[in-house]
Amino acid sequence: MEELNVFAMAQRQFDESARILELDNSIRGVLRVPKREIVVNIPVRMDDGTLRIFLGFRVQYNDAKGPTKGGIRFHPLETIDTVRALAAWMTWKCAVVDIPLGGAKGGIICDPKVLSQGELERLSRGYVQAVWPLIGPEKDIPAPDVYTNPQIMAWMMDEYSRLSGMNQFGVITGKPLQVGGTKGRIDATARGGMFALREAAEVLGLELEKATVAVQGFGNAGYYAAHLCRDMFGSRIVAVSDSGGGAYNKEGLLPEALYEYKAKSATVSGFPECRQISNEELLELDVDVLIPAALENVINEENSCRINARIVAELANGPTTPEADSVLHERGVHVIPDFLCNAGGVTVSYFEMVQNFSMYYWEEEEINLQLDKKMTAAYHSVYNASREMGIHMRHAAYVVSVKRVIEAMKLRGWI
Ligand code: NAD
């Protein structure tokens, strides 16, 4: 069924921007499919002595603006279409923050939870051995994503360096600090989203120090969003949730206390002095700011008419369906679209590469300052396009990004 295919959804979003920009068919044709797809079978010696084959992908969507960049996911339900869609979104994400990179994504079908550390290391190194002629600091730079982490990035960087016969820190980002990682990466996605939220609040005249906030998802993006929203603006976090359910207290919640509670109880649901709420209820709360930071398609045709927030800051990828976008727009809900709102992660990854190349490492203040500049400029380029063209923020984000990629392709003589 086409609706369930995430790549079909990414293509539909692109087609809409192509329609708005009145792109001719040949340009549309180039941009609605990936430039290169790599499919690899990775043999891995398991701890019990058997040899198992794992299927892996790397999709390099478009490199007009620079080498491609995007995470590697380890997931039992990984599909080439998910990787294609995410590679497309990486292209638009790098373009919207105007960093000199294109978009890519990778994945391996595996369940990392049942693999030993040794098996995980051999799988990570095996993936690099399979794709290494086609990746590299000047070609394609992977990073962590779902169920991959700094340790896996360190193994992958080491394998690539071993194969090249020299240290190649710039081949991968999201590395541990001791081997070429950057300060500020851990909360970069949420912090970038907060800079965009601050700008959105300013143009809408919303006072964030008095604002109420609900956050769906309490992992890396959601926890730091809740923490920073309180820390940077003094906003009141009234509700958070995770896969186990949600906690609501209209007087406000302390994200750090919730974090400790979740570490012991595995969920925020049941946090003392709170009303337990479902994820569905959380989305429909009467709050100023709603931050989806968990899953795709949670704001959809069915519930979009009941979203009461003034601003939806999408830290998750793909939380709002195209049908819901139109409803939110008609109802005056201001959406900061995903590939703009969550671009802080790739922006700081780009700073990691810059530091690797220059062999000089920045202080965290410098990282945050440069991130602020990038996110603020990106937000206003999208907001201005939305105002000038009378289109909603997601279409505007596409228009800004697609135009930038097309400009690079034209200058290079590709189209
Ligand atoms: P994570 O694994 O750290 O956290 C995910 C959170 O979502 C967990 O708290 C989990 O309990 C919750 N969750 C899972 N199923 C749920 C459900 N059915 N209902 C409610 N909550 C549920 O992941 P993350 O890194 O925080 O990523 C979250 C989203 O942000 C994803 O869409 C991801 O693609 C996007 N994102 C993250 C980054 C990053 O740097 N971490 C960058 C860009 C985009």
Side-chain angles (χ1 to χ4, degrees), residues 308-323:
N308 289 303
R310 187 114 183 259
I311 299 177
V312 175
E314 297 182 341
L315 283 181
N317 279 317
T320 308
T321 64
E323 292 75 19

Side-chain angles (χ1 to χ4, degrees), residues 73 86 90 93 105 144-147 185-190 216-223 241-245 262 266-268 279-280 292-296 298 314-319 338 341-346:
R73 299 151 52 94
L86 290 162
M90 282 305 296
K93 191 185 298 199
K105 207 77 176 190
D145 207 288
V146 173
Y147 295 142
R185 180 63 185 86
I186 184 90
D187 64 5
T189 299
Q216 185 189 41
F218 208 64
N220 175 279
Y223 164 68
S241 69
D242 57 28
S243 53
K262 184 175 161 81
T267 172
V268 293
N279 269 287
E280 292 71 30
L295 302 172
E296 314 77 63
V298 290
E314 297 182 341
L315 283 181
N317 279 317
D338 51 4
C341 196
N342 67 31
V346 74

Side-chain angles (χ1 to χ4, degrees), residues 28-62:
R28 282 181 201 218
V30 176
L31 280 174
R32 74 195 301 283
V33 288
K35 174 173 179 166
R36 181 184 287 130
E37 299 185 352
I38 308 157
V39 179
V40 293
N41 287 298
I42 311 156
V44 175
R45 183 71 62 194
M46 306 303 283
D47 290 349
D48 65 6
T50 58
L51 198 64
R52 229 182 103 185
I53 310 293
F54 292 86
L55 184 60
F57 312 109
R58 185 75 185 163
V59 173
Q60 297 166 343
Y61 200 86
N62 183 293

Side-chain angles (χ1 to χ4, degrees), residues 126-277:
Y127 181 79
V128 173
Q129 287 159 18
V131 299
W132 92 275
L134 295 165
I135 64 166
E138 268 104 30
K139 294 181 191 167
D140 178 20
I141 305 100
D145 207 288
V146 173
Y147 295 142
T148 50
N149 55 34
Q151 174 61 76
I152 291 175
M153 297 305 111
W155 288 327
M156 289 187 166
M157 176 279 290
D158 182 70
E159 190 60 26
Y160 186 86
S161 297
R162 209 181 56 76
L163 291 163
S164 330
M166 61 180 127
N167 266 321
Q168 292 267 29
F169 281 3
V171 67
I172 264 175
T173 61
K175 303 179 293 292
L177 271 181
Q178 299 84 339
V179 284
T182 182
K183 290 180 177 158
R185 180 63 185 86
I186 184 90
D187 64 5
T189 299
R191 191 179 291 275
M194 292 305 105
F195 292 139
L197 172 62
R198 180 196 63 203
E199 297 307 303
E202 173 88 31
V203 298
L204 297 176
L206 175 72
E207 293 178 70
L208 282 175
E209 62 275 23
K210 295 185 189 151
T212 52
V213 180
V215 184
Q216 185 189 41
F218 208 64
N220 175 279
Y223 164 68
Y224 282 109
H227 166 75
L228 289 173
C229 223
R230 220 177 149 268
D231 195 53
M232 289 167 64
F233 314 127
S235 310
R236 190 150 38 102
I237 314 300
V238 294
V240 302
S241 69
D242 57 28
S243 53
Y248 172 81
N249 183 332
K250 70 175 180 5
E251 304 304 326
L253 296 158
L254 277 179
E256 301 74 24
L258 281 157
Y259 187 86
E260 276 178 32
Y261 181 84
K262 184 175 161 81
K264 285 189 212 120
S265 316
T267 172
V268 293
S269 179
F271 188 70
E273 293 170 34
C274 280
R275 179 159 71 82
Q276 288 192 22
I277 57 168

